[in-house]
Amino acid sequence: MTFQVTDYHDACFKSFFSQDEFVRDFIQYYIPEEIKSHLDLSSIEIDMEGYVSEEFKEFYSDVVVMISFLDSDQTLEMYFLFEHKSSPDRFARLQILNYQVQKWMRMLKNKQLGRRLPIIVPVIIYHGTRSWKYSVDFEEYFRLPSDAFRDFIPKYRHILHDIHSMGDESLAWEMNLSRRRP
């Protein structure tokens, strides 16, 4: 699948996140320790393919990265879904949940699933002019009349890397971190 990237920031994002070394450094410096301490950072595989259904074909995921777990007696894989946003998007959590389901459904269709679904950690990288004001928790979309309904709402969140206060020069420096850090 070919993507036409018309936004300068999207083009930069895709260019940088297509590089193994950059993705490895991003995970090393910006993903919480309690997650990255379980990962084999030498096992990165980048997938620039979007996860699109016919009904949502105007959406596509930015970058999906497959990575293996450390110290596992089985082959366990997980994914990071990196999504770039240049303006606050109230329904970004719904969009990335759709990407996750599309990935799992494609794996099911291609008979690539074992007994369990792989973990997909969504990361929104936000570079806009205003502050990101939306929650990272999916359940914030719902108004529950009582706690009895809580079991029917997915417990789901994403990581937000908010770099909205950076100018384009700072963004270029930040996006080149893999060339600057040992």
Side-chain angles (χ1 to χ4, degrees), residues 94-110:
L94 185 59
Q95 183 182 353
I96 57 180
L97 180 59
N98 177 54
Y99 295 158
Q100 290 177 287
V101 170
Q102 292 297 319
K103 174 67 174 169
W104 291 320
M105 293 304 291
R106 182 171 289 161
M107 293 176 81
L108 178 63
K109 180 181 176 185
N110 294 334

Side-chain angles (χ1 to χ4, degrees), residues 79-127:
Y79 297 83
F80 281 98
L81 178 113
F82 293 105
E83 173 68 15
H84 172 256
K85 292 291 184 189
S86 54
S87 61
D89 184 348
R90 177 184 175 160
F91 290 104
R93 289 165 282 160
L94 185 59
Q95 183 182 353
I96 57 180
L97 180 59
N98 177 54
Y99 295 158
Q100 290 177 287
V101 170
Q102 292 297 319
K103 174 67 174 169
W104 291 320
M105 293 304 291
R106 182 171 289 161
M107 293 176 81
L108 178 63
K109 180 181 176 185
N110 294 334
K111 300 184 185 332
Q112 297 171 319
L113 288 179
R115 294 167 40 127
R116 307 224 186 251
L117 296 175
I119 297 168
I120 301 175
V121 176
V123 179
I124 293 179
I125 300 168
Y126 171 63
H127 181 257

